[in-house]
Amino acid sequence: MWRFRGTDVAAARALVEAAFDAGITLFDTADIYGPDNNEDFGAAEALLGRVFAEAPALRDKMVLASKGGISMGVPYDSSPAYLASAIDASLTRLRCDNIDLYQIHRPDLLAHPQEVARALDDARTAGKITAIGVSNHTPQQTAALAEFLPVPIVSHQPEFSALTTAPLFDGLFDQAMARGMAILAWSPLGGGRLANPQDARATAVAELLDKKAAETGVDRAAAAYSWIMAHPARPIPIVGTQNAARIATIPDAYKPQWTRAEWYDVLQASMGEKLP
């Protein structure tokens, strides 16, 4: 919901309902979503809150995820006081009393993980959030936070695509599999670089995705999502389209099936070299 924007509540509700129609139940937003769209801080949450006000039943149908810890101009603040205020502000904008999955958006290097854990667990025990996740955290940062929490960290949200493959090698996917954490892969189309390749590396990856897409009658995006989903960590692509017709095609990601050789061909094209 990074690009979820505007003032047309009917149009916003139509996008939410289109996602449900496509079988999507996880909606991932954040308090910082707004300024990137030339809107106010919290605008995406506030728009979703207006949708809930109009159609309260939609809230209960979804897994609602949000994020906090980015403060305009700071840039990061995961101090207990700030996190407590950020969670309350998100709930106010969303017009609900609970967030299913609350994630620290980016690590605050000046916050001790014990302080962060205390703030998150206080919100959890108060019923304001149900589960705790992290976004853009290293495995080591995640492990440090987990040491001070009485409940597991349930999710990682890294950037991951056929063009951004670091989580395969930096231990993040390994940690997620070892701990049973969900992976929410943001920018699964490489920030648009797979849709519109601008260099030889992206072009080579796109050509392999197109080959797989042609076999099953889907588009390149579906092939890119399916490549992500083929990993045994079972990553969930966070799809950002704000077009109802495009939302309807998201389930096409289940159609392509990758052989090991095909999957590794894409990875090696992305790396620009053969694996040893």
Side-chain angles (χ1 to χ4, degrees):
M1 307 196 83
W2 180 26
R3 298 298 188 191
F4 194 63
R5 59 169 297 174
T7 58
D8 189 334
V9 177
R13 178 178 173 179
L15 289 176
V16 171
E17 291 178 335
F20 282 127
D21 289 343
I24 295 165
T25 56
L26 172 65
F27 289 74
D28 179 66
T29 187
D31 58 10
I32 192 64
Y33 294 168
D36 285 338
N37 300 322
N38 296 315
E39 295 187 329
D40 292 338
F41 185 90
E45 286 184 326
L47 178 57
L48 185 56
R50 290 193 289 274
V51 172
F52 291 155
E54 182 179 280
L58 294 178
R59 167 65 188 94
D60 294 332
K61 293 173 62 178
M62 69 173 62
V63 176
L64 176 61
S66 195
K67 300 183 286 293
I70 297 179
S71 179
M72 297 291 288
V74 175
Y76 309 132
D77 191 345
S78 289
S79 63
Y82 180 78
L83 282 183
S85 66
I87 291 169
D88 286 345
S90 287
L91 290 170
T92 297
R93 286 188 292 265
L94 289 164
R95 305 191 194 196
C96 63
D97 55 13
N98 171 269
I99 295 169
D100 298 309
L101 173 63
Y102 192 79
Q103 305 152 93
I104 299 297
H105 204 151
R106 289 187 180 273
D108 174 9
L109 303 179
L110 293 178
H112 193 289
Q114 187 173 29
E115 294 182 315
V116 181
R118 183 171 67 251
L120 292 171
D121 198 53
D122 284 350
R124 183 188 67 84
T125 56
K128 297 177 181 180
I129 64 177
T130 299
I132 295 167
V134 293
S135 175
N136 303 297
H137 280 55
T138 67
Q140 295 83 359
Q141 289 166 334
T142 304
L145 179 60
E147 282 293 314
F148 299 102
L149 280 168
V151 295
I153 296 174
V154 304
S155 64
H156 264 298
Q157 186 167 159
E159 182 177 4
F160 180 62
S161 71
L163 290 177
T164 303
T165 60
L168 295 172
F169 303 103
D170 63 10
L172 191 146
F173 276 17
D174 303 294
Q175 182 183 63
M177 290 186 288
R179 298 189 177 202
M181 300 170 67
I183 299 288
L184 284 63
W186 66 266
S187 201
L189 299 180
R193 291 174 294 151
L194 284 174
N196 184 25
Q198 297 293 314
D199 55 44
R201 172 173 164 261
T203 298
V205 170
E207 288 175 351
L208 290 171
L209 294 174
D210 285 345
K211 180 180 178 182
K212 176 54 71 173
E215 291 177 5
T216 47
V218 302
D219 62 14
R220 185 186 299 165
Y225 301 147
S226 70
W227 186 87
I228 288 170
M229 293 160 61
H231 191 276
R234 301 178 64 191
I236 302 165
I238 300 298
V239 181
T241 180
Q242 301 295 298
N243 180 297
R246 293 289 299 156
I247 290 172
T249 68
I250 291 172
D252 286 347
Y254 289 105
K255 295 178 180 178
Q257 299 296 316
W258 295 84
T259 68
R260 269 182 163 75
E262 291 169 339
W263 191 90
Y264 275 113
D265 282 344
V266 173
L267 178 59
Q268 290 176 127
S270 179
M271 295 170 61
E273 60 181 333
K274 294 290 186 182
L275 288 162

